[in-house]
Structures are given as structure tokens and as C-alpha cells.
Amino acid sequence: MMKMKRKWMTIMTAAALAAGVVCGCANPEKSGVEALKNGEYQEAEAQFQEMTQSGSREDAAEGYRGLGMTYYEMEDYAGALEAFRQAVDNGVQQSVQLYNLMGVCAMQTEEYEAALEYIQSGLALAESADGEEQPSEELIREMKYNEIICYEKQSDWENARQKADEYLSEYPDDESVQREAEFLETR
């Protein structure tokens, strides 16, 4: 269904959170990032939870993002999605990676309409990104694939076919989407 590589996500998680540590943020963030990188999820959860209650909106936003990443790694997709939503509500810096994670979590919880919104927001953000903020081609490809799946899960066959055609024009060698496109032609 979804193309998501856990090792890649763990690396992205650590990089995103480590950016805050370099900026001199509170010690719970550094401890949470280390615990997350080491797979110590209960410790990471405790550290990030502490950040959400710090009183600082910026720390709370980063704490919720850290909680989202922790829950994601624990495969608690509903918890991760709620934490990511709280991070956005508290003003966390929005990124293509964040929207992708939110989209994947929404797909895992079968909230396909919300997933599609997150994916499309991330893709729109990617179009305007430049330099260091430019997401990897692998991430964009994954999001475009998941966009097809979201339309399909909502029985929006016309948009699913259109997105599959667009995808195949960019990535013609993807056999799984070739099969999807064949399936969609029957709808």
C-alpha cells in the first residue's frame, strides 16, 4: 500500500529534531532525540511530553513533533497523527516531511480524505521549496504514489486515473503503478 521506509524516516526524524538541538533548545529535546535515535521510545515520549508542558509555545510545538515521531516509530499512527496536528496548531515549522508523515498516519488510520489534504499540502510546499529545503525525489515520488492510493480508497476513480497517468509520465518504470493504472482502467 504505502511506500514508507522506516530507516529513512528515522534518519529524517533525527535530523529534523536535531536542528532544534543545535539551536540551543532545552535539554529535554536533546535527550528525546537521543532516546528516539536509540529506539528508547518510552524515554523519548517522556522527554517530548515534558517539552509540551514547558509553557513555551515553540517548545510545545517541537515536543508535539517529537511525540509524533516517537509514536510513528512505535506504529501508533493515531497517536502520531494527533501529536503532529498539535505540533501544527502550536506553530511548528511546516515541512514537506511533516506533511508526508501526517498523510501516512492518516492513511494508516483510514482517514483518506485528510491524508489526501496533507499529501497535497506537502506537494504544494515542495513546489515552492528551494535550496536546502528541497525534499528528496524519493519523498516526492512516495507522496505522489500515496496520492493515487488516497483517491482510489475514496473511490474517486477519475482523479486516481489522472494521478496514475501523471505519475507514470514521470516514473514510467514503476511496475506497481503500472498495475494500479491497469486496475483503474476497469473502474
Side-chain angles (χ1 to χ4, degrees), residues 135-146:
S136 72
E137 182 60 33
E138 181 181 355
L139 178 61
I140 297 302
R141 185 175 181 163
E142 173 186 317
M143 293 175 78
K144 289 179 178 181
Y145 175 86
N146 286 341

Side-chain angles (χ1 to χ4, degrees), residues 118-129:
Y118 296 134
I119 291 166
Q120 290 176 336
S121 294
L123 289 170
L125 191 58
E127 287 180 18
S128 65

Side-chain angles (χ1 to χ4, degrees), residues 115-171:
L116 185 59
E117 289 178 25
Y118 296 134
I119 291 166
Q120 290 176 336
S121 294
L123 289 170
L125 191 58
E127 287 180 18
S128 65
D130 61 346
E132 292 178 13
E133 295 179 17
Q134 187 65 37
S136 72
E137 182 60 33
E138 181 181 355
L139 178 61
I140 297 302
R141 185 175 181 163
E142 173 186 317
M143 293 175 78
K144 289 179 178 181
Y145 175 86
N146 286 341
E147 185 177 32
I148 298 165
I149 301 303
C150 286
Y151 278 123
E152 186 178 310
K153 291 293 187 175
Q154 295 179 83
S155 299
D156 185 344
W157 309 118
E158 184 177 327
N159 280 316
R161 273 191 299 273
Q162 177 187 349
K163 291 300 178 179
D165 290 344
E166 290 172 13
Y167 181 97
L168 287 171
S169 72
E170 290 182 66
Y171 314 106

Side-chain angles (χ1 to χ4, degrees), residues 12 14 16 18 33 37 42 57-59 61 67 71 92 109 124 128 139 146 149 152 158 183:
M12 292 303 297
V33 169
K37 284 185 349 187
Q42 276 66 37
R57 190 165 188 244
E58 184 178 314
D59 284 350
L67 280 173
Y71 295 146
V92 76
T109 59
S128 65
L139 178 61
N146 286 341
I149 301 303
E152 186 178 310
E158 184 177 327
F183 165 77

Side-chain angles (χ1 to χ4, degrees), residues 9 23 27 29 41 44 49 64 73 77 84 87 94 99 109 118-119 129 148 150 154-155 158 163 166 181 183:
M9 289 310 304
C23 296
N27 197 24
E29 186 169 13
Y41 302 126
Q49 190 68 42
Y64 281 118
E73 289 297 319
Y77 299 110
F84 289 137
Q94 297 177 22
Y99 280 118
T109 59
Y118 296 134
I119 291 166
I148 298 165
C150 286
Q154 295 179 83
S155 299
E158 184 177 327
K163 291 300 178 179
E166 290 172 13
F183 165 77

Side-chain angles (χ1 to χ4, degrees), residues 89-117:
D89 289 348
N90 279 281
V92 76
Q93 181 179 353
Q94 297 177 22
S95 68
V96 176
Q97 293 83 358
L98 177 63
Y99 280 118
N100 182 55
L101 285 168
M102 292 174 77
V104 169
C105 289
M107 289 175 76
Q108 289 286 353
T109 59
E110 298 183 1
E111 296 178 48
Y112 296 107
E113 187 175 338
L116 185 59
E117 289 178 25

